[in-house]
């Protein structure tokens, strides 16, 4: 379920709020292969299912940066900021990949709007997020994301 805010003043009021949990999405071999093609990272542990079966995880795994890149589509399910002219990713403070995402796994995002601070012409938000693996003991990724919204 998405939280919708209209403008920067409403966004500021959400500081410290839990944003909830996104829907599950499946990480397919096709998605992994497409990411490998886009980035040129064709390491066997990602793109060779037969060899990966014999590897340390028993199956192909998603690239860590593929998992990280899915933060944005998952995040947009949680927070919709309207009444602004521009939305940009500003960076990351922290990222860790505690557990690999095996092909066929489903992942989702749990997020908190940790901070909203003013910057020239807008605000910068800090989001604490965990990308969970369905049935997993540890998250696939734990991160702190920075985004800017301009009036």
């Amino acid at each position: 379920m998405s939280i919708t805010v209209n403008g920067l003043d409403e966004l500021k009021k959400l500081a410290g709020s839990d944003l909830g949990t996104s829907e599950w999405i499946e990480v397919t071999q096709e998605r992994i292969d497409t990411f490998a093609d886009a980035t040129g990272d064709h390491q066997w542990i990602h793109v060779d299912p037969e060899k990966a079966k014999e590897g340390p995880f028993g199956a192909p795994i998603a690239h860590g940066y593929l998992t990280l890149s899915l933060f944005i589509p998952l995040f947009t399910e949680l927070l919709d900021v309207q009444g602004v002219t521009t939305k940009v990713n500003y960076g990351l403070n922290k990222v860790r990949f505690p557990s690999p995402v095996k092909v066929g796994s489903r992942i989702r995002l749990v997020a908190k709007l940790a901070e909203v601070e003013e910057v020239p012409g807008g605000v910068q938000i800090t989001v604490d997020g965990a990308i969970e693996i369905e049935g997993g003991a540890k998250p696939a990724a734990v991160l702190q994301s920075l985004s800017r919204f301009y009036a």
Side-chain angles (χ1 to χ4, degrees), residues 22 25 57 63 79 97 107 112-113 115 120 124 146 149:
S22 72
I25 62 168
F57 306 109
H63 305 72
L79 181 63
F97 302 110
I107 62 172
K112 177 180 181 176
L113 182 57
E115 186 176 3
Q124 177 173 292
L146 305 173
F149 297 84

Side-chain angles (χ1 to χ4, degrees), residues 17 44 49 61 74 100 104 108 130 136:
S17 298
W44 64 268
I61 61 169
L74 294 169
R108 68 180 180 185

Side-chain angles (χ1 to χ4, degrees), residues 22-105:
S22 72
E23 295 295 320
W24 294 105
I25 62 168
E26 184 179 357
V27 179
T28 64
Q29 187 65 54
E30 180 182 9
R31 185 185 295 263
I32 292 169
D33 292 344
T34 300
F35 187 84
D37 289 342
T39 62
D41 181 353
H42 292 94
Q43 184 182 20
W44 64 268
I45 203 160
H46 306 302
V47 299
D48 186 339
E50 290 307 312
K51 189 172 180 180
K53 285 180 187 176
E54 304 304 319
F57 306 109
I61 61 169
H63 305 72
Y65 287 109
L66 167 56
T67 303
L68 181 61
S69 73
L70 294 172
F71 171 80
I72 292 299
L74 294 169
F75 178 71
T76 59
E77 288 184 28
L78 302 181
L79 181 63
D80 180 18
V81 181
Q82 298 180 353
V84 296
T85 62
T86 308
K87 305 171 185 180
V88 295
N89 296 318
Y90 190 69
L92 299 160
N93 284 337
K94 301 174 187 174
V95 177
R96 297 290 183 269
F97 302 110
S99 186
V101 178
K102 292 181 182 181
V103 69
S105 296

